[in-house]
Amino acid sequence: MRVAVIGTGYVGLTTAVSLAMNGHQVIGIDLVASKVEKLRQGISPIYEPGLEEALKKVLSDGALAFYTDLTEAKDAEIFFICVGTPEAADGTADLTYVLGAVSDMEKVHSFSPQERIVVIKSTVPVGTGEKVAGMLAGCQGVSVASNPEFLREGSALLDALEPSRIVIGVDNPQAAARMEELYNGVKAPRVITTRANAELIKYASNAFLATRISFMNELARLSTALGTDIVTISRGMGLDSRIGPQFLRAGVGYGGSCFPKDTIALLQLAAEHNIHLSILDKVREVNTTQPGWFLEQLCLQLPDLKGKQIAVLGLTFKPDTDDIREAPSLKLIEALLQKGASVKAFDPIGAPGVSKQFPQITYTQSAAEACEGAYAALLVTEWEQCVQLDWNQVHQSMVQPLLVDGRNAWPNQEVKEAGFHYIGVGRS
Ligand SMILES: NC(=O)c1ccc[n+]([C@@H]2O[C@H](COP(=O)([O-])OP(=O)(O)OC[C@H]3O[C@@H](n4cnc5c(N)ncnc54)[C@H](O)[C@@H]3O)[C@@H](O)[C@H]2O)c1
């Protein structure tokens, strides 16, 4: 099928590449000319394992092309909207980019009318599909579908090629059939439903995953007080098939471009309908306070941080991505600087992004280098390069052998044997 993908960020680029790999003829559109230029050369503007190689392949096969102007996609039968839906000042989802893309598409349709589907892949509040359908009511032959995305940064391409499920919200059987045709050959359970249900499935999924994380983070605080081991507790819980092992990991709090904004957007949507989602409210509260709780654990050992060098290992919101949006490292660095510490940070990919926000700290070429001369090392993102260290070497190079593990990823017994004082999140 002929497909246009509007917005070539994490979701749009992955969607465009995966659809091209699955045999469709795809055009990727982005407003940012420099991004389009890079993409045309087969350079991925984002770090995502396997994506650049796949991009080069589909470009050379002629299955994917990039433009800044949507009129280049005038023959497309399917228009995917994959633009950002950031948090507005009041916490609701800002739909400016989505509505901008819809009006771009409307113009294209006016001079090149045909049967087509506008598919909203961006995460949007319940009712957005309905609103967009209203905007496009005058466009003969156009249907509006909701097809939320569930990919995870760090394994985005694989997730797009082998999704856990495909959720399609439509208001007519013809559009459902066309969407089924688009995903023909992709093995995954289908949920064909209304647009509103599809929109809420996305928010509910993210809110539930965030809930699991905050539940474990709060439990980790209790585990610290009790002297129990949250990693063992999490394993013992996760083996229950009713619970499952995913998203039971305590840490410094969730970040990224989705959970923080999607949880507040869902709370706001509920409030508009006079419903208070009290559990979700607490989920956010625990997450907001978790970096502070983590730093308190450091300060119990090192009460005065003034003039002390602290190593911050890992900056991106999770490993295997360059995404630093809402990363806990940002809050931690800010708090450390406020307490007068000097920070040396390491991240294999994320340092250039963070250095724009914190030019005053030092960025090193390795985790070991960041630890040299440090009074404490904090593990914030569990990149392999931050986890697999030569502990004897690190021990010798630090002023004080204090490890504060924000991801429970360091080998606690091994580091203790190497002479470190180890503090984890809910484990010692
Ligand atoms: N990043 C994720 O892991 C993820 C996962 C699932 C869902 N989502 C959702 O998908 C949506 C996109 O997220 P993202 O992380 O890919 O965003 P992003 O910021 O990485 O990419 C958005 C892109 O859209 C472009 N854009 C904006 N308006 C445009 C227009 N009118 N025409 C052409 N291009 C335009 C921007 O230049 C940018 O390149 C959001 O709603 C997000 O919540 C994201």
Side-chain angles (χ1 to χ4, degrees):
M1 292 169 89
R2 294 184 305 278
V3 181
V5 176
I6 308 175
T8 60
Y10 290 87
V11 167
L13 179 57
T14 310
T15 300
V17 169
S18 62
L19 287 168
M21 287 171 80
N22 286 336
H24 299 292
Q25 194 62 40
V26 185
I27 287 181
I29 304 287
D30 206 285
L31 292 176
V32 181
S34 57
K35 200 179 260 194
V36 167
E37 200 41 56
K38 270 188 167 180
L39 288 166
R40 284 178 172 165
Q41 294 169 35
I43 302 167
S44 172
I46 54 168
Y47 175 79
E48 191 55 53
L51 189 60
E52 191 164 278
E53 294 79 353
L55 167 68
K56 284 191 165 74
K57 170 86 173 66
V58 288
L59 279 175
S60 71
D61 292 348
L64 177 59
F66 293 97
Y67 299 96
T68 49
D69 185 356
L70 192 60
T71 55
E72 298 288 349
K74 63 180 184 342
D75 296 327
E77 304 150 80
I78 309 272
F79 280 82
F80 270 102
I81 297 182
C82 300
V83 299
T85 47
E87 186 180 325
D90 63 356
T92 58
D94 180 351
L95 295 177
T96 311
Y97 301 107
V98 171
L99 302 182
V102 171
S103 75
D104 291 349
M105 184 267 151
E106 202 176 356
K107 280 178 216 139
V108 171
H109 185 79
S110 69
F111 69 80
S112 179
Q114 61 165 293
E115 293 273 321
R116 49 174 52 119
I117 308 176
V118 175
V119 184
I120 304 175
K121 207 169 234 320
S122 300
T123 303
V124 292
V126 176
T128 306
E130 218 54 38
K131 184 174 177 171
V132 170
M135 280 170 74
L136 297 175
C139 297
Q140 192 109 38
V142 174
S143 294
V144 176
S146 165
N147 175 213
E149 181 54 61
F150 301 98
L151 64 75
R152 298 159 299 176
E153 288 179 22
S155 56
L157 185 60
L158 197 67
D159 290 347
L161 292 169
E162 295 170 18
S164 54
R165 73 282 209 196
I166 296 174
V167 175
I168 295 170
V170 277
D171 66 353
N172 67 76
Q174 294 80 8
R178 293 293 277 158
M179 290 300 291
E180 284 273 30
E181 194 185 333
L182 180 78
Y183 286 116
N184 190 18
V186 180
K187 272 202 204 118
R190 268 52 167 173
V191 180
I192 312 290
T193 182
T194 63
R195 287 190 292 247
N197 281 346
E199 288 164 340
L200 191 53
I201 286 170
K202 174 63 194 177
Y203 277 105
S205 301
N206 276 1
F208 189 69
L209 292 173
T211 302
R212 286 177 69 117
I213 295 174
S214 278
F215 180 83
M216 292 312 291
N217 283 341
E218 204 169 37
L219 207 63
R221 300 181 195 183
L222 174 64
S223 182
T224 295
L226 296 174
T228 49
D229 179 27
I230 198 74
V231 175
T232 308
I233 291 155
S234 156
R235 181 160 183 270
M237 289 167 65
L239 287 167
D240 185 327
S241 61
R242 295 168 302 176
I243 298 174
Q246 304 268 19
F247 280 76
L248 285 187
R249 203 162 168 174
V252 284
Y254 60 74
S257 68
C258 292
F259 289 2
K261 77 169 174 67
D262 292 349
T263 47
I264 182 86
L266 184 55
L267 276 165
Q268 295 299 74
L269 176 76
E272 282 167 24
H273 295 269
N274 297 318
I275 306 287
H276 178 48
L277 297 180
S278 56
I279 295 175
L280 196 55
D281 218 359
K282 289 290 170 197
V283 165
R284 284 182 56 82
E285 187 184 311
V286 169
N287 198 60
T288 308
T289 52
Q290 189 68 0
W293 177 86
F294 177 67
L295 274 192
E296 275 169 27
Q297 308 313 299
L298 165 70
C299 292
L300 286 175
Q301 300 302 319
L302 207 57
D304 183 12
L305 293 176
K306 226 184 186 92
K308 305 239 166 52
Q309 186 191 307
I310 306 295
V312 172
L313 306 184
L315 298 170
T316 52
F317 88 95
K318 63 190 273 196
D320 292 324
T321 178
D322 58 351
D323 202 343
I324 56 161
R325 290 178 284 186
E326 299 286 330
S329 66
L330 305 176
K331 282 188 193 164
L332 291 169
I333 292 171
E334 189 160 359
L336 287 168
L337 293 177
Q338 263 171 15
K339 288 176 187 292
S342 76
V343 175
K344 272 194 184 175
F346 168 72
D347 189 285
I349 299 283
V354 175
S355 69
K356 288 187 192 124
Q357 216 160 316
F358 295 106
Q360 68 271 53
I361 70 170
T362 305
Y363 299 89
T364 62
Q365 295 303 312
S366 70
E369 194 189 334
C371 294
E372 283 168 19
Y375 282 77
L378 314 187
L379 181 65
V380 182
T381 315
E382 68 278 31
W383 284 94
E384 204 188 317
Q385 295 93 324
C386 300
V387 173
Q388 310 278 356
L389 300 178
D390 179 337
W391 295 112
N392 290 328
Q393 185 204 332
V394 172
H395 188 276
Q396 277 171 19
S397 74
M398 288 178 73
V399 174
Q400 186 176 310
L402 174 58
L403 299 180
V404 193
D405 183 354
R407 297 293 178 182
N408 291 341
W410 277 332
N412 58 345
Q413 292 310 327
E414 189 187 332
V415 298
K416 281 190 227 165
E417 279 159 26
F420 285 96
H421 184 91
Y422 173 89
I423 306 167
V425 177
R427 78 186 316 211
S428 52

